[in-house]
Amino acid sequence: MFSLIVATFLVAWSAKDAGALPDSVDNIRNRAEFDRLARLATYPYELPHVLFVVDRLHGNRVYYANSKRFDSHRAFVNATYLSLETGQKFFQNNYLRTDRRFYMGTVAYQTPVKKWAFEFWEGDLISKEGIQDVYKFIQGSFYAPVAFKPNCLHQEEIGDQLPSIPKLLTRDIVAPADYAPMSLGTAVGRVRVLDRYDDKTVLDPTDIVVLPEAPVDLPPVGGIITSQPASPLSHISLRSKSLRIPDAYIKTAGKVLASRDGQIVKFATKPDQYLIGNPSPSELQAFQSKVAIRRVLLTPKADLSVTAIADLGNQRSSMVTVYGAKSANLGEIMHAHVPGMDVPDGFSLPFAAYRSFVIANGLDKAIDALLADRQFKSDPVDRKAKLALLRKQFAEGKLDDSLARQILQKAHSEFAGEGLFVRSSTNSEDLPNFNGAGLYSTFPNARTDEQILSAVKFVWGSVWNFEAFDARERAGIDHRKVYMGVLLQRGINAEAAGVLITGNPFDAPDKDCCYISATKGLGIKVVEGVKIPEQLLMHYETGAVQVLTRSTIDSLLTFDAKGGLREVAVPQGRAVLTDEWVHNLAYAARRIQGLFGKREQDIEWTIMKGKIYIVQSRPYLRE
């Protein structure tokens, strides 16, 4: 999923004290109330601050969040159920759109000038009307005069059009400087000079990243340098402090480091100066060892000695290194005969079949050439095009005659006249620190021989989906050691489907809860995240069902008689699940959790003709 902020609390406070405070207040009447909610940033100067959210959907209500408890706006609105959006969807809707539901920013006491100011993230494309509204709402609910502090050129230009709103510019707070540390620290890493960062940029955890300005988010990296000043309250600045990543504004960064792009350097930030130089021999050796160890640790396991196709009922979770996590876990659930649910029958091709296909069609050489291609690794546009060509080679490759006969023989004898879901099951999913959800492809409702065999190659080729490759690259996974198992499973033409989590995704300590999202028809509409599904919480102790949202999905997916799917319009707003089905799903899910060491599970389910079918169970990884 896209994580916006991992911030830090830089002032001592106890969890007990924070827990005693409310989640938010509607107004702040004095400094003591502000300090109860505030956290403290310390570079380049002391900066107590409180997050605020203005909910335009509910009468422009202002929430001053308990910023000792909530480290981001998203964490606050999720935990209080104001919004269930996460990742890229939350980012797009609440920072880039002008017709957004929420205005989100920070009120801070600017210590050097002893004045209050409200501000937004420097990438926030808030409108002129938005700034006017926020000023009015904040001024009406805060005890002291508050000025607007723009954090980028866009916000400055809009601010110039609002002469009635007092401004507090960065240059009014601190004297202009060529250097300002956001986070103190030292790192050894490879310099990466970038014009911009977006979700297609691949970064290594050891990179020293040089950018014109701070983006809304970065994955953990070795160090951060910007050539435009950033707010001490920017998302990146707060994250750097929490992870002790050296982070600084250096006015001449682009010029100074252009010649060192790609080189390994030592980067240190101190209160009054920075250092960029060559690491010592021992520091260089430690850096190289760290990279080598990380690569070894993130090499997924695979047993290529097994070549037999296996029925789902004969698989166990221990076979994850042969048939993949999805298939092996479903085999475990099927074997357990959990009351109240079923697993659709199916059979799986082992990792060895993928490797044999790759070698027989010369695709191993094509893969080696790509991984050695410098432009492929550094240029997302080039990478996307070349991965598409590689997948085309998979689609055009020749399937082994014996394997093709085995697949079709089982399909004809065990699933005659039925549609099969041809599904991915790799060794690079459900790893301890790498979920892999949604990266690989499924072919739904394959009915003809041609569709079935083509679908197998389609799923094999999805190892090289652009999103899958980049996600593995960020995680440091060895692409050559990734293998694809294929699960061919009876298709359930669902009346309702969705996902559930055997816990509360918005409140981790709440263990007495099951979260369920649902839609009419097949569950693809839920996992694609384009529209809002029905979302519910079932509380085990009381059995109470809490409705978070009704579905806004206005169509359902169902089987097409010729294979694949077709879309049918449905009314919005109607309940998808009765309380009885919610209870049945929640208690079945808890039994599944027991099969996997009581670890929270992320489960895909369908309902058809009064029966629950489980089609995936994987560990739930919290952000």
Side-chain angles (χ1 to χ4, degrees):
M1 293 192 174
F2 187 85
S3 175
L4 279 176
I5 315 168
V6 180
T8 183
F9 303 151
L10 298 171
V11 63
W13 59 279
S14 72
K16 181 178 179 181
D17 290 340
L21 296 174
D23 288 339
S24 65
V25 298
D26 294 339
N27 56 74
I28 294 179
R29 295 168 293 187
N30 52 55
R31 179 62 189 262
E33 290 187 359
F34 176 87
D35 288 341
R36 288 182 71 210
L37 300 175
R39 60 187 178 191
L40 185 70
T42 56
Y43 287 103
Y45 51 87
E46 289 193 349
L47 189 63
H49 57 281
V50 168
L51 304 175
F52 71 79
V53 173
V54 177
D55 186 354
R56 303 175 69 201
L57 185 63
H58 295 115
N60 294 310
R61 180 175 175 180
V62 180
Y63 297 87
Y64 293 100
N66 177 350
S67 302
K68 290 183 168 72
R69 179 182 302 162
F70 301 110
D71 60 1
S72 70
H73 297 99
R74 183 191 58 77
F76 170 73
V77 299
N78 282 176
T80 53
Y81 307 130
L82 292 174
S83 169
L84 304 181
E85 294 177 334
T86 58
Q88 186 69 12
K89 185 177 180 182
F90 180 88
F91 167 69
Q92 293 280 351
N93 286 347
N94 296 295
Y95 290 100
L96 303 185
R97 289 177 54 171
T98 56
D99 60 339
R100 64 189 69 178
R101 172 179 171 181
F102 299 112
Y103 295 131
M104 301 184 299
T106 307
V107 173
Y109 185 66
Q110 303 292 339
T111 306
V113 292
K114 296 181 172 55
K115 292 183 179 180
W116 295 97
F118 71 93
E119 61 184 273
F120 307 95
W121 166 60
E122 52 264 40
D124 193 324
L125 300 181
I126 189 164
S127 65
K128 174 182 174 181
E129 293 72 22
I131 293 173
Q132 286 178 311
D133 286 346
V134 170
Y135 175 68
K136 179 174 67 174
F137 302 140
I138 295 296
Q139 198 63 71
S141 59
F142 197 80
Y143 80 97
V146 179
F148 169 50
K149 177 178 175 289
N151 281 324
C152 64
L153 182 60
H154 166 76
Q155 294 172 13
E156 283 189 16
E157 290 174 345
I158 290 178
D160 290 341
Q161 301 172 36
L162 300 169
S164 63
I165 297 178
K167 317 295 187 307
L168 189 60
L169 304 180
T170 300
R171 62 177 174 268
D172 299 328
I173 301 169
V174 293
D178 293 340
Y179 166 71
M182 298 294 111
S183 173
L184 304 184
T186 302
V188 174
R190 190 179 304 278
V191 174
R192 290 285 304 279
V193 180
L194 303 172
D195 293 330
R196 67 182 184 281
Y197 172 79
D198 56 34
D199 58 1
K200 297 180 177 61
T201 307
V202 179
L203 295 175
D204 189 89
T206 62
D207 285 343
I208 309 293
V209 183
V210 183
L211 287 160
E213 60 185 11
V216 67
D217 191 37
L218 279 174
V221 291
I224 302 167
I225 301 171
T226 60
S227 53
Q228 294 291 331
S231 166
L233 300 183
S234 74
H235 300 169
I236 294 300
S237 298
L238 293 172
R239 181 181 213 180
S240 299
K241 292 183 181 75
S242 71
L243 300 177
R244 296 181 174 84
I245 295 170
D247 179 0
Y249 151 64
I250 301 174
K251 184 176 182 180
T252 58
K255 294 179 181 178
V256 169
L257 290 168
S259 63
R260 304 206 69 161
D261 190 20
Q263 295 181 12
I264 298 170
V265 303
K266 179 178 180 179
F267 171 47
T269 52
K270 298 182 179 182
D272 57 351
Q273 64 177 335
Y274 67 91
L275 167 69
I276 297 174
N278 296 325
S280 67
S282 61
E283 289 170 334
L284 181 59
Q285 184 177 8
F287 166 79
Q288 292 170 337
S289 298
K290 179 181 178 181
V291 172
I293 290 171
R294 183 173 61 83
R295 290 293 179 181
V296 171
L297 290 176
L298 293 177
T299 299
K301 297 177 181 178
D303 181 353
L304 301 174
S305 65
V306 179
T307 59
I309 293 175
D311 289 335
L312 202 52
N314 293 331
Q315 296 178 48
R316 301 292 180 271
S317 58
S318 59
M319 297 179 179
V320 63
T321 58
V322 177
Y323 299 102
K326 183 181 296 177
S327 185
N329 286 350
L330 284 176
E332 187 71 35
I333 297 170
M334 180 179 278
H335 176 70
H337 301 291
V338 177
M341 71 180 69
D342 204 350
V343 175
D345 290 334
F347 60 95
S348 303
L349 312 185
F351 295 153
Y354 168 84
R355 184 184 65 167
S356 295
F357 176 82
V358 166
I359 294 173
N361 288 276
L363 295 169
D364 53 334
K365 296 181 178 61
I367 291 166
D368 286 343
L370 282 186
L371 297 180
D373 183 337
R374 185 176 180 85
Q375 185 178 4
F376 171 83
K377 295 294 286 290
S378 62
D379 182 350
V381 175
D382 182 75
R383 184 163 59 255
K384 181 174 284 190
K386 288 176 179 175
L387 285 172
L389 288 175
L390 179 61
R391 293 194 302 275
K392 185 172 183 289
Q393 289 179 272
F394 269 83
E396 294 171 349
K398 186 179 186 307
L399 202 60
D400 176 78
D401 290 338
S402 175
L403 179 62
R405 283 195 298 272
Q406 291 180 67
I407 293 170
L408 294 179
Q409 185 178 35
K410 288 187 73 65
H412 295 161
S413 62
E414 299 174 25
F415 305 99
E418 299 184 72
L420 293 175
F421 270 55
V422 185
R423 311 180 67 199
S424 61
S425 184
T426 78
N427 65 335
S428 61
E429 296 175 82
D430 305 343
L431 302 176
N433 295 305
F434 185 76
N435 180 273
L439 297 179
Y440 306 107
S441 301
T442 289
F443 189 99
N445 191 31
R447 305 187 75 88
T448 68
D449 289 359
E450 181 181 357
Q451 286 175 349
I452 292 170
L453 297 182
S454 294
V456 169
K457 294 188 289 182
F458 170 70
V459 172
W460 277 340
S462 70
V463 169
W464 303 100
N465 285 348
F466 176 78
E467 294 79 6
F469 182 93
D470 276 18
R472 294 195 304 263
E473 189 75 8
R474 284 191 289 270
I477 292 174
D478 186 345
H479 303 289
R480 292 182 178 87
K481 301 299 182 182
V482 174
Y483 297 100
M484 176 68 78
V486 179
L487 169 60
L488 295 95
Q489 192 173 22
R490 172 176 286 121
I492 303 299
N493 198 15
E495 297 161 357
V499 299
L500 65 81
I501 296 166
T502 57
N504 188 336
F506 315 112
D507 186 5
D510 181 7
K511 303 299 181 184
D512 180 52
C513 195
C514 178
Y515 164 83
I516 300 173
S517 63
T519 185
K520 297 287 188 182
L522 296 167
I524 296 170
K525 288 285 185 179
V526 171
V527 298
E528 70 183 6
V530 175
K531 293 190 177 180
I532 298 173
E534 179 168 279
Q535 298 178 90
L536 310 155
L537 288 174
M538 203 289 284
H539 301 273
Y540 286 106
E541 185 175 350
T542 63
V545 177
Q546 180 180 358
V547 178
L548 302 179
T549 62
R550 288 300 184 195
S551 175
T552 64
I553 299 173
D554 54 5
S555 63
L556 64 78
L557 294 174
T558 188
F559 286 4
D560 189 296
K562 296 179 180 179
L565 306 177
R566 59 188 177 90
E567 194 163 1
V568 179
V570 294
Q572 298 181 53
R574 293 187 180 179
V576 176
L577 297 175
T578 63
D579 282 6
E580 180 182 3
W581 279 116
V582 172
H583 290 152
N584 291 344
L585 283 165
Y587 287 108
R590 181 162 270 190
R591 296 186 187 103
I592 292 174
Q593 181 172 296
L595 297 177
F596 299 103
K598 298 184 178 180
R599 184 177 180 184
E600 285 185 335
Q601 295 290 298
D602 177 350
I603 297 171
E604 293 184 23
W605 56 270
T606 66
I607 294 174
M608 183 66 180
K609 294 182 179 178
K611 182 179 288 189
I612 295 172
Y613 294 91
I614 302 301
V615 293
Q616 180 158 340
S617 186
R618 69 196 324 156
Y620 175 59
L621 298 181
R622 293 187 178 271
E623 290 184 306

